[in-house]
Amino acid sequence: SVSWLFSMPVIYLLGIHMGYGLIGIWSAFIIDEWMRGIILYLRWRSRAWQKKSLLELDEREPAVRAADA
């Protein structure tokens, strides 16, 4: 997963290489969460997710039918 590609090097850098230990590891987790949050926010604002669809809806047909509700 992408989390492994980003967080593991940061964990190594902060926790082991720079010698912060457990505090460095937890800091890397926090940085990872923030980065993913920022990336998801930017994707949400770009509305790129609206172009992806698993279903093709007929525009003449209502999205929810009375029998389905």
Side-chain angles (χ1 to χ4, degrees), residues 9-33:
V10 176
I11 286 172
Y12 174 78
L13 179 71
L14 293 176
I16 298 170
H17 183 70
M18 295 179 76
Y20 288 112
L22 192 56
I23 293 173
I25 293 170
W26 281 104
S27 298
F29 287 146
I30 292 168
I31 292 168
D32 176 58
E33 289 293 325

Side-chain angles (χ1 to χ4, degrees), residues 9-64:
V10 176
I11 286 172
Y12 174 78
L13 179 71
L14 293 176
I16 298 170
H17 183 70
M18 295 179 76
Y20 288 112
L22 192 56
I23 293 173
I25 293 170
W26 281 104
S27 298
F29 287 146
I30 292 168
I31 292 168
D32 176 58
E33 289 293 325
W34 271 92
M35 291 302 297
R36 284 192 281 153
I38 290 168
I39 290 168
L40 287 174
Y41 173 73
L42 293 174
R43 180 169 167 80
W44 182 264
R45 276 195 46 201
S46 73
R47 298 193 179 269
W49 53 273
Q50 287 182 333
K51 298 173 186 148
K52 311 288 186 213
S53 176
L54 297 176
L55 300 174
E56 297 271 338
L57 293 178
D58 186 4
E59 292 186 21
R60 295 173 292 155
E61 189 175 327
V64 178

